[in-house]
Amino acid sequence: GENVEQHPSTLSVQEGDSAVIKCTYSDSASNYFPWYKQELGKGPQLIIDIRSNVGEKKDQRIAVTLNKTAKHFSLHITETQPEDSAVYFCAASKPPNTGNQFYFGTGTSLTVIP
Amino acid sequence: KAGVTQTPRYLIKTRGQQVTLSCSPISGHRSVSWYQQTPGQGLQFLFEYFSETQRNKGNFPGRFSGRQFSNSRSEMNVSTLELGDSALYLCASSLELGTGVAYTGELFFGEGSRLTVL
């Protein structure tokens, strides 16, 4: 089965700095890579995703890059703000006709220091 | 539009008991998945239901089971509870029009049911 590894497990940055979270996956058949943000007491919420036919995707201060050859993808948050403090999870999934089964990383607890 | 609703939000059980958790998906969503979240382990996939059929199952023992009703609401059951079953159980729904039909893949999570086993 798929194995997703995520690093670092904790990350502290000063407000305004950038934050980078990295994930690797093992199954070359995976083709959909979402990132979820989980705030305290809430369920995870999708913030950005990328499919295997795209190398990079950006949405305002958030960007995701994908390297299919190396089987790794990264989340980049620029100009961090205190409200970015949360736990971030990367995930990998296979084509839709196999159903909604996602393999998640173990999470990165991001703290943005004002 | 109402989000994913999970009940109960918190519960305490003792070893050997069983528990049933409920999930009401977003209206129109036919796929419901369950995940177990524990510190350091992230989210681990339990199972997924679509149109009342279990479509995928994770690597959990048979004590973990689930079902989906015709209105897409889902329940999961854990029998013979163990201390290690203490976790946040998350339900997620997804809009999927049918096998092979393109969809976004986005999971919409509820706030979870926090189970403590004593």
Side-chain angles (χ1 to χ4, degrees), chain B residues 2 7 15 23 28 34 51 55 60 66 73 84 94 98 100 105 111-112 118:
Chain B
T7 56
R15 280 182 301 174
C23 172
W34 289 88
S51 292
R55 189 161 59 175
F60 279 81
R73 190 177 70 85
S94 179
E111 294 188 328
L118 302 176

Side-chain angles (χ1 to χ4, degrees), chain A residues 50-70:
Chain A
I50 192 168
R51 297 190 185 273
S52 59
N53 58 348
V54 176
E56 183 174 359
K57 184 177 179 181
K58 189 173 181 180
D59 182 5
Q60 299 183 339
R61 297 186 297 108
I62 296 174
V64 57
T65 59
L66 171 66
N67 183 326
K68 287 190 297 181
T69 303

Side-chain angles (χ1 to χ4, degrees), chain A:
Chain A
E2 175 66 277
N3 181 45
V4 177
E5 295 189 355
Q6 181 172 349
H7 299 282
S9 58
T10 60
L11 179 60
S12 292
V13 299
Q14 291 288 332
E15 181 178 357
D17 287 350
S18 295
V20 180
I21 302 171
K22 298 182 179 181
C23 289
T24 60
Y25 61 99
S26 61
D27 192 338
S28 57
S30 292
N31 70 344
Y32 176 61
F33 307 93
W35 286 88
Y36 284 82
K37 174 184 180 182
Q38 185 176 29
E39 297 177 339
L40 199 61
K42 296 185 178 181
Q45 185 173 11
L46 179 72
I47 56 171
I48 196 167
D49 57 12
I50 192 168
R51 297 190 185 273
S52 59
N53 58 348
V54 176
E56 183 174 359
K57 184 177 179 181
K58 189 173 181 180
D59 182 5
Q60 299 183 339
R61 297 186 297 108
I62 296 174
V64 57
T65 59
L66 171 66
N67 183 326
K68 287 190 297 181
T69 303
K71 296 196 189 73
H72 69 71
F73 55 113
S74 301
L75 177 71
H76 304 254
I77 305 175
T78 59
E79 301 173 19
T80 54
Q81 301 169 2
E83 52 264 39
D84 294 330
S85 295
V87 179
Y88 292 80
F89 292 96
C90 62
S93 176
K94 295 182 185 180
N97 58 3
T98 59
N100 279 320
Q101 182 168 357
F102 288 79
Y103 299 86
F104 283 85
T106 50
T108 296
S109 179
L110 172 64
T111 301
V112 179
I113 304 166

Side-chain angles (χ1 to χ4, degrees), chain A residues 36 38 43-44 51 96 98 100 102, chain B residues 31 35 37 56 103-105 107 110:
Chain A
Y36 284 82
Q38 185 176 29
R51 297 190 185 273
T98 59
N100 279 320
F102 288 79
Chain B
S31 169
Y35 288 82
Q37 183 176 12
N56 284 291
Y103 70 105
T104 65
L107 296 177

Side-chain angles (χ1 to χ4, degrees), chain B residues 43-100:
Chain B
L43 283 74
Q44 293 187 292
F45 175 77
L46 281 156
F47 27 66
E48 184 226 0
Y49 288 87
F50 179 78
S51 292
E52 302 180 65
T53 300
Q54 186 181 86
R55 189 161 59 175
N56 284 291
K57 189 177 190 304
N59 296 323
F60 279 81
R63 300 185 297 107
F64 292 82
S65 63
R67 59 179 175 169
Q68 186 181 33
F69 302 95
S70 58
N71 61 358
S72 293
R73 190 177 70 85
S74 178
E75 289 181 348
M76 67 163 283
N77 182 276
V78 188
S79 62
T80 319
L81 285 167
E82 300 177 359
L83 295 179
D85 297 333
S86 294
L88 180 67
Y89 290 88
L90 291 164
C91 168
S93 73
S94 179
L95 175 63
E96 183 176 340
L97 301 179
T99 300

